[in-house]
Amino acid sequence: NAGVTQTPKFQVLKTGQSMTLQCAQDMNHEYMSWYRQDPGMGLRLIHYSVGAGITDQGEVPNGYNVSRSTTEDFPLRLLSAAPSQTSVYFCASAGQGAWETQYFGPGTRLLVL
Amino acid sequence: RKEVEQDPGPFNVPEGATVAFNCTYSNSASQSFFWYRQDCRKEPKLLMSVYSSGNEDGRFTAQLNRASQYISLLIRDSKLSDSATYLCVVNMRSNYQLIWGAGTKLIIKP
């Protein structure tokens, strides 16, 4: 099993550009989530999903969209990148009934100029 | 006030020593508690859950003090490979959202 995979590993964007961060898991997990990690702060939840077709907002959803058309994939879309979105983005997944035990992808480092 | 607070460190500890650090949380109704470990420039990984009765896994012991609203992590006989940032995580509201501390950095020196 590959676990949770994320692409790309690194990305540089200009202000106003859009892009999609990809996340996939092969563990048949129902729960998936996106976090951002900034220096001196804990991980902050952007969006999460408890199953295909179901998504909900986390603590910091503004400027981001998600969709969950399959159990495996949970892409995160930046609509119009801003320098404040410079961060490390982690995708995580968890099995049904054990959503607190989260398995993380390797992260995407995003720089917005 | 942050919902989950940790001493950022770094804690510089000689190999073989015992080290402990705490994490305080703001919501007395919090339900579940965890320690995750994050190596430099890597993803977080679950280290252990923290039960009301405490939890021990090898050299690691985690404890919960609900009265004072903190959890602790004790590492005995520390190894160089224990060097990492330890993240305190709390389920405060049972709405599929975990609250993460900013982490305590631990450096084990030979």
Side-chain angles (χ1 to χ4, degrees):
Chain A
N1 288 351
V4 181
T5 58
Q6 291 184 236
T7 56
K9 284 185 167 46
F10 305 96
Q11 185 70 49
V12 179
L13 291 178
K14 294 181 179 178
T15 296
Q17 288 185 316
S18 62
M19 79 161 295
T20 298
L21 280 62
Q22 301 292 343
C23 174
Q25 52 90 10
D26 61 1
M27 297 176 281
N28 201 31
H29 283 169
E30 292 295 322
Y31 181 91
M32 295 187 74
S33 57
W34 276 102
Y35 293 93
R36 59 177 290 172
Q37 186 174 36
D38 301 295
M41 302 182 71
L43 274 71
R44 290 183 292 169
L45 184 65
I46 304 171
H47 286 284
Y48 67 97
S49 168
V50 297
I54 305 169
T55 64
D56 209 341
Q57 295 182 350
E59 179 186 356
V60 289
N62 292 343
Y64 307 94
N65 274 355
V66 292
S67 60
R68 185 93 181 269
S69 56
T70 68
T71 298
E72 294 78 19
D73 299 297
F74 192 44
L76 178 72
R77 297 183 189 84
L78 277 69
L79 308 173
S80 177
S84 61
Q85 293 179 305
T86 293
S87 188
V88 180
Y89 291 84
F90 287 104
C91 177
S93 73
Q96 191 172 18
W99 69 271
E100 297 159 327
T101 304
Q102 298 188 11
Y103 297 85
F104 284 79
T108 294
R109 295 183 178 276
L110 176 67
L111 173 62
V112 183
L113 301 174
Chain B
R1 179 187 172 193
K2 292 181 181 178
E3 293 184 286
V4 176
E5 293 204 67
Q6 297 183 251
D7 183 339
F11 285 53
N12 291 284
V13 174
E15 191 176 9
T18 296
V19 59
F21 27 84
N22 293 338
C23 161
T24 59
Y25 58 95
S26 62
N27 187 344
S28 60
S30 296
Q31 300 181 4
S32 310
F33 309 86
F34 308 87
W35 286 103
Y36 276 70
R37 170 196 169 126
Q38 186 173 26
D39 293 314
C40 188
R41 302 178 75 84
K42 298 289 189 180
E43 69 274 20
K45 293 182 180 179
L46 178 66
L47 179 66
M48 58 198 308
S49 303
V50 188
Y51 305 122
S52 296
S53 57
N55 189 16
E56 185 172 323
D57 183 3
R59 298 180 294 107
F60 297 81
T61 300
Q63 293 194 317
L64 166 63
N65 185 318
R66 282 196 180 272
S68 300
Q69 293 181 211
Y70 73 88
I71 65 172
S72 63
L73 181 66
L74 177 81
I75 306 174
R76 290 181 296 276
D77 187 24
S78 53
K79 312 290 185 190
L80 295 175
S81 57
D82 295 333
S83 296
T85 296
Y86 291 84
L87 307 175
C88 172
V89 187
V90 181
N91 175 4
M92 287 191 174
R93 306 179 191 93
S94 192
N95 60 350
Y96 296 106
Q97 301 190 38
L98 296 173
I99 307 299
W100 295 72
T104 296
K105 186 171 185 177
L106 175 64
I107 300 172
I108 305 299
K109 298 192 170 183

